[in-house]
Amino acid sequence: MSQFHSLAVGHNGGDNPSTARERLAIKVISAAIDFQVLPPCFVKLTHGPKKIKTHNASGSTATFNFMCSMEIHPEISSLHVELLKGGGMLGGKTGLGSCEVVIENLSSCISCMDHAPADFPPQEMQLPLQGRTGETVPGKITVQIVRVRPPNPPYTVKALVGTWNVGNAPPAEELGTWLRPDKVAQAAVVVVGSQECQYDKRSQYKDNEDDWTGSIQAGIGETHTLLSMESIGQMRLGVWVRFDVIGGIHSFESGWEATGLGHVMTNKGGIATVIKVWDTTIAFVNSHL
């Protein structure tokens, strides 16, 4: 649990877009090896000193849908992408295959804060895998990667923000009249806060949060990807970002505070999520009082 006052501290100007380096916007979608059911595994991304790991996934196709960003170091020509089997009780890791992505060969765009760039979202890439000694591994990692240049200053971060007391009833199948496609298309960030958002999940979802997240994602469409979903009791706060904006997200953090009986009961309270996009820090708060 985090206190709001500590979450909301931020500053502007720390990474001036006029001097900031290009960054990579990365979405790790899935991994598969032919004729194998993958055990719990994860993808590790390495570029210079920066190392980022996805969460674990498994199955005939391990689905991650994990996104992140990295600053590009001009002296380092590639991004190392590696599929590893997750450690068991002893924490060991086994490499299942890896590949190198040449950064110079990636498509590039300017991070547009007030409209989507042309030809977005980028095409998926199928990365072939190699073993430790260079042998071909019959598998692939599916990703989207693009080089993103800082926006031209001055710029405005356009955010579409909505709040909804759901009344403990499932949302409609079609949310386009509320999450208007014309407004979503213009937004760098889409934020949806909900209250009394607890209902019987529908059959295609694993739980209530998955149902709600999937419903909002369907209403937003494929242009934006979920960055953060934070829940407390029957409240939720989700943040979706457009792919070209992912590269400019240096950090994000979420926390919540219960204000029900004894500051323990979660029937009342609030959630905050803070994101830093290039040199702009923005806090979003959803509350049910």
Side-chain angles (χ1 to χ4, degrees), residues 107-123 146-149 185 223 242-244:
S107 60
S108 175
C109 75
I110 292 178
S111 184
C112 303
M113 296 292 105
D114 58 355
H115 66 277
D119 302 323
F120 259 72
Q123 295 293 314
V146 69
R147 298 183 352 245
V148 179
R149 300 190 301 278
T223 57
R242 205 174 54 228
F243 196 87
D244 63 295

Side-chain angles (χ1 to χ4, degrees), residues 75-88:
E75 68 278 9
I76 301 171
S77 62
S78 65
L79 170 70
H80 183 70
V81 183
E82 186 173 11
L83 179 65
L84 297 118
K85 184 166 66 174

Side-chain angles (χ1 to χ4, degrees), residues 132-283:
R132 290 185 179 276
T133 58
E135 75 278 14
T136 298
V137 175
K140 62 186 179 183
I141 300 174
T142 303
V143 298
Q144 290 171 299
I145 310 176
V146 69
R147 298 183 352 245
V148 179
R149 300 190 301 278
N152 297 318
Y155 66 90
T156 299
V157 180
K158 280 196 174 180
L160 177 64
V161 180
T163 181
W164 186 359
N165 188 314
V166 183
N168 300 121
E173 293 289 340
E174 213 295 302
L175 296 175
T177 55
W178 186 57
L179 293 165
R180 292 170 48 187
D182 59 324
K183 297 296 184 184
V184 169
Q186 298 175 31
V189 182
V190 178
V191 183
V192 177
S194 60
Q195 310 85 39
E196 297 183 16
C197 187
Q198 186 70 40
Y199 51 85
D200 292 335
K201 73 172 186 70
R202 288 164 288 189
S203 59
Q204 66 267 42
Y205 300 107
K206 64 182 181 181
D207 55 33
N208 178 247
E209 183 178 293
D210 186 47
D211 186 314
W212 174 251
T213 303
S215 299
I216 300 299
Q217 182 71 71
I220 293 172
E222 298 303 316
T223 57
H224 294 65
T225 301
L226 183 67
L227 174 72
S228 170
M229 175 62 71
E230 187 79 8
S231 299
I232 167 180
Q234 298 182 8
M235 288 173 286
R236 310 195 190 285
L237 180 61
V239 178
W240 285 259
V241 297
R242 205 174 54 228
F243 196 87
D244 63 295
V245 181
I246 294 171
I249 294 180
H250 293 225
S251 61
F252 69 93
E253 184 180 5
S254 295
W256 55 266
E257 177 75 25
T259 61
L261 183 64
H263 280 255
V264 174
M265 300 298 291
T266 58
N267 60 317
K268 303 293 182 183
I271 306 169
T273 296
V274 177
I275 64 173
K276 183 178 181 183
V277 186
W278 297 110
D279 68 335
T280 300
T281 301
I282 313 173

Side-chain angles (χ1 to χ4, degrees), residues 55-137:
H55 54 271
N56 278 4
S58 59
S60 54
T61 298
T63 301
F64 302 101
N65 287 326
F66 175 89
M67 65 181 190
C68 61
S69 70
M70 287 180 163
E71 183 178 286
I72 295 175
H73 294 270
E75 68 278 9
I76 301 171
S77 62
S78 65
L79 170 70
H80 183 70
V81 183
E82 186 173 11
L83 179 65
L84 297 118
K85 184 166 66 174
M89 293 182 65
L90 299 179
K93 305 178 187 68
T94 302
L96 299 174
S98 65
C99 65
E100 298 290 328
V101 177
V102 179
I103 292 174
E104 185 179 344
N105 294 341
L106 295 171
S107 60
S108 175
C109 75
I110 292 178
S111 184
C112 303
M113 296 292 105
D114 58 355
H115 66 277
D119 302 323
F120 259 72
Q123 295 293 314
E124 294 181 2
M125 301 167 58
Q126 313 288 332
L127 304 180
L129 297 177
Q130 290 186 326
R132 290 185 179 276
T133 58
E135 75 278 14
T136 298
V137 175

